[in-house]
């Protein structure tokens, strides 16, 4: 049972454009939503994260938008650069009790072209 | 501050063998989680250890096991290896809970032949 659905599977964006990746979750107990960036041969690196008490969080060129009622959140990469070409994973978890694990989306392979 | 260190980086094993992977978390972090990454299944949670106790477990067979030492270092063991166990095994460390600010190592690439 896939609890976090991520789309699109792949994305090609021109340099300077906006990359948008979407995720939807099912479990309303989720209360922590991070995004990870992974380059080939490397482990995932934490990019930015949000909790459901805010609707948007921005760090540099990266913004998370969160819609609690729709159970959706998205990553926006402004002014996309070739160096942003990587695979991006959304994830979700809940922080109460001992159920401490990240549930990941299936990943989006982003290619930023010149 | 050193990051999460996983050893070895690459392993080739034969079906039926067993393997042990090691993870040293970020200094001061007490939670260590293990994930399996494959092209078909993506990132799947294996288990999490905190203060030498397994705190959570994913849906993997009993051939997959782990442990954590008093210095927070963790090992993962897979017995009776199958071809389908070929994957990138990732370790993540965090301060208290595995789901907040988890930092991943570079992983161990296991190939079963």
């Amino acid at each position: 049972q896939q609890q976090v659905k991520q789309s699109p599977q792949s994305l090609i964006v021109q340099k300077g454009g906006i990359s948008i990746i979407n995720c939807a979750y099912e479990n309303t107990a989720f209360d922590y939503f991070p995004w990870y960036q992974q380059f080939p041969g490397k482990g995932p690196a934490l990019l930015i994260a949000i909790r459901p008490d805010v609707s948007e969080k921005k760090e540099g060129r990266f913004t998370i938008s969160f819609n609690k009622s729709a159970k959706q959140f998205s990553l926006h990469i402004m002014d996309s650069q070739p160096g942003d070409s990587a695979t991006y994973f959304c994830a979700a978890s809940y922080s109460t009790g001992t159920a401490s694990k990240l549930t990941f989306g299936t990943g989006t392979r982003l290619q930023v072209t010149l | 501050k050193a990051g999460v260190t996983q050893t070895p980086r690459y392993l080739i094993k034969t079906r039926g063998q067993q393997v042990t992977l090691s993870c040293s978390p970020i200094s001061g972090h007490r939670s260590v989680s293990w994930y399996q990454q494959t092209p078909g299944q993506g990132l799947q949670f294996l288990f999490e250890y905190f203060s030498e106790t397994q705190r959570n477990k994913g849906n993997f067979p009993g051939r997959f096991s782990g442990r954590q030492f008093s210095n927070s270092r963790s090992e993962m063991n897979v017995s009776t290896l199958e071809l389908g166990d070929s994957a990138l095994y990732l370790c993540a460390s965090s301060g208290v809970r595995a789901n907040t600010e988890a930092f991943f190592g570079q992983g161990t690439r296991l190939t079963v032949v």
Side-chain angles (χ1 to χ4, degrees):
Chain A
Q1 181 188 3
Q2 185 184 359
Q3 295 193 52
V4 179
K5 294 183 179 179
Q6 184 172 346
S7 63
Q9 192 172 26
S10 62
L11 182 61
I12 299 176
V13 173
Q14 279 197 324
K15 179 182 175 182
I18 302 174
S19 303
I20 302 175
I21 304 170
N22 301 299
C23 284
Y25 62 97
E26 300 167 4
N27 189 342
T28 56
F30 286 145
D31 64 357
Y32 175 70
F33 303 89
W35 283 89
Y36 283 85
Q37 178 190 57
Q38 186 176 28
F39 293 104
K42 303 288 186 181
L46 179 62
L47 201 56
I48 186 173
I50 197 168
R51 295 193 184 275
D53 52 345
V54 296
S55 60
E56 186 175 281
K57 183 175 181 180
K58 183 177 181 179
E59 289 185 2
R61 297 185 293 108
F62 300 91
T63 300
I64 299 179
S65 297
F66 186 84
N67 186 328
K68 188 174 181 178
S69 60
K71 294 188 288 185
Q72 295 176 347
F73 59 109
S74 60
L75 175 70
H76 294 233
I77 305 174
M78 312 300 287
D79 186 27
S80 298
Q81 299 296 314
D84 297 331
S85 297
T87 300
Y88 292 81
F89 294 92
C90 62
S93 70
Y94 46 96
S95 56
T96 56
T98 60
S100 48
K101 70 173 186 178
L102 288 165
T103 298
F104 284 89
T106 50
T108 296
R109 183 170 292 184
L110 171 66
Q111 181 182 354
V112 181
T113 61
L114 294 171
Chain B
K1 204 174 194 182
V4 179
T5 303
Q6 290 189 247
T7 56
R9 289 292 312 279
Y10 303 93
L11 266 177
I12 299 176
K13 289 287 187 179
T14 304
R15 269 182 303 174
Q17 287 187 312
Q18 73 165 18
V19 67
T20 299
L21 313 181
S22 179
C23 171
S24 293
I26 292 171
S27 178
H29 282 189
R30 296 166 63 190
S31 170
V32 174
S33 296
W34 289 88
Y35 291 81
Q36 181 196 64
Q37 185 175 27
T38 60
Q41 298 298 315
L43 282 150
Q44 301 285 315
F45 173 78
L46 281 154
F47 30 66
E48 184 229 354
Y49 285 86
F50 181 83
S51 293
E52 302 179 66
T53 301
Q54 187 180 85
R55 198 159 65 167
N56 202 357
K57 190 177 188 304
N59 297 322
F60 278 81
R63 300 185 296 106
F64 292 82
S65 63
R67 60 177 175 168
Q68 186 180 33
F69 302 95
S70 58
N71 61 357
S72 294
R73 189 177 72 85
S74 177
E75 287 182 347
M76 188 191 106
N77 185 273
V78 187
S79 62
T80 319
L81 284 166
E82 301 177 359
L83 294 178
D85 296 333
S86 295
L88 180 67
Y89 289 89
L90 293 158
C91 163
S93 82
S94 61
V96 176
R97 296 188 181 276
N99 55 310
T100 56
E101 300 220 329
F103 298 91
F104 284 83
Q106 294 201 76
T108 294
R109 172 72 63 184
L110 172 65
T111 302
V112 182
V113 297

